[in-house]
Amino acid sequence: MDYALNPFISGIYAGDPEQLLLHKTFPKLAALEQTHGSVLRGLAKSGGAGGRRKIFSLRGGLQTLAIALTHHLTNRHTSQPVTGLTRDAAGKYLVQTARGAFSDTSYDVVALALPAYAAAPLLKPLFPEAASALASVNYPPMAAVFTAYRRTDVTHALDGFGALHPKVEQPYAAGSIWTSSIFPDRAPADQVLFTTFVGGSQYRAHAGQPADAQKAAVHTELSRFYGIKSAPLWQHQYYWAKAIPQFDANIVAAHAAADELATQGIESVANWRAGVGVPDCVRYARQMAEKIAKSAA
């Protein structure tokens, strides 16, 4: 628990293993336990439940996925914040925006590709109980601190993915990815790049510190772990007040609300519903697109 599960949950899910639900966070592991009587027995019989996932990114960053998708949309309206969701006399949905882009169109189905906290106020007038459930989803804060050094100033070989930190050892950060080791084109050949995660459920106090304090603390910790002998070439910090949704006790009511909303023609297509990983979100979005297309046929 302390040296395997805790750092994994903290570093990957920004979570606390004492709070997350197995059947929501790791449904495949829960299914193995139900089928085979234990997770370990199930993994042995299934050959590792599908094998180890590969680590991937996209050239230019993951935002290129969203940019590419927009080129295939035939009717899109940017910079149009949605301000309200209502129903007409026939029960179809009307979408209000800041500039009235959809004011004259009604819809049988609405897909909410939004964080739970952003979807809640839109749902409140029509579905107050569902809105309350979505508003309760827990999103801990987190910051990512990017730090670059000269390769000759880092004595560690950095021959791997990175390091996730056990809470029991009282680290400052949840862990660091050795970004230039995984994706060499993310840094010049004579430099190394770390992506360090500060915050999450177990490190909330650190997430709220000023950026300069975070950068300094991250450099100190990296220097201690990796034998770094000089100051960073550069550092950059990005902060999310609400980062990764937690699949803890609060998510149960939110998922139940999403199931009920689906019967009313509102599909929830977001990581609090599908799973926090990009592959999970893409897989779920495809399923929802096929479902909506079939219903319209």
Side-chain angles (χ1 to χ4, degrees):
M1 174 66 82
D2 287 341
Y3 284 92
L5 188 58
N6 181 283
F8 175 78
I9 293 295
S10 177
I12 303 299
Y13 293 91
D16 182 344
E18 299 288 348
Q19 302 297 324
L20 298 188
L21 302 177
L22 177 66
H23 72 284
K24 291 293 186 181
T25 310
F26 303 108
K28 291 183 179 179
L29 294 185
L32 290 176
E33 191 274 334
Q34 290 294 315
T35 303
H36 300 284
S38 81
V39 172
L40 293 179
R41 188 182 297 118
L43 287 172
K45 291 186 176 181
S46 67
R52 184 174 181 178
R53 287 188 176 186
K54 294 182 178 180
I55 301 167
F56 75 93
S57 187
L58 300 174
R59 292 187 180 90
L62 289 177
Q63 75 270 16
T64 57
L65 174 61
I67 294 171
L69 287 173
T70 64
H71 295 320
H72 294 275
L73 298 177
T74 58
N75 186 14
R76 62 188 176 99
H77 302 268
T78 59
S79 302
Q80 294 263 14
V82 176
T83 57
L85 187 65
T86 60
R87 282 178 126 166
D88 62 18
K92 294 188 176 184
Y93 290 102
L94 301 171
V95 180
Q96 286 84 45
T97 69
R99 299 180 185 176
F102 307 97
S103 59
D104 58 348
T105 308
S106 60
Y107 301 90
D108 296 310
V109 179
V110 173
L112 290 179
L114 294 170
Y117 57 81
L122 296 179
L123 294 170
K124 188 174 182 179
L126 293 176
F127 306 101
E129 292 184 3
S132 178
L134 267 60
S136 70
V137 174
N138 176 21
Y139 285 79
M142 175 166 278
V145 178
F146 308 93
T147 311
Y149 298 95
R150 293 183 182 86
R151 187 65 188 88
T152 54
D153 291 331
V154 181
T155 59
H156 194 283
L158 301 180
D159 52 349
F161 165 83
L164 302 176
H165 305 160
K167 176 67 172 177
V168 69
E169 294 185 357
Q170 299 182 338
Y172 179 79
S176 295
I177 294 174
W178 305 339
T179 308
S180 54
S181 296
I182 307 170
F183 307 114
D185 60 341
R186 294 295 173 90
D190 61 346
Q191 297 179 22
V192 295
L193 177 63
F194 295 86
T195 301
T196 303
F197 299 100
V198 179
S201 294
Q202 300 186 75
Y203 304 91
R204 288 179 183 268
H206 296 169
Q209 292 179 342
D212 288 345
Q214 285 184 357
K215 292 176 184 178
V218 165
H219 167 61
T220 298
E221 192 162 80
L222 291 175
S223 298
R224 179 161 56 92
F225 289 165
Y226 303 110
I228 298 172
K229 301 175 292 184
S230 66
L233 293 173
W234 61 265
Q235 283 186 298
H236 177 73
Q237 182 252 29
Y238 192 91
Y239 174 71
W240 293 271
K242 296 179 181 291
I244 300 175
Q246 300 298 291
F247 281 41
D248 55 19
N250 290 343
I251 206 70
V252 176
H255 284 179
D259 290 338
E260 178 59 29
L261 288 169
T263 67
Q264 298 296 318
I266 295 182
E267 299 290 353
S268 303
V269 190
N271 63 352
W272 62 268
R273 183 65 169 137
V276 300
V278 172
D280 294 325
C281 291
V282 171
R283 187 180 305 110
Y284 189 78
R286 291 175 66 92
Q287 294 172 358
M288 289 299 99
E290 291 172 2
K291 176 184 175 181
I292 293 170
K294 288 180 180 178
S295 70

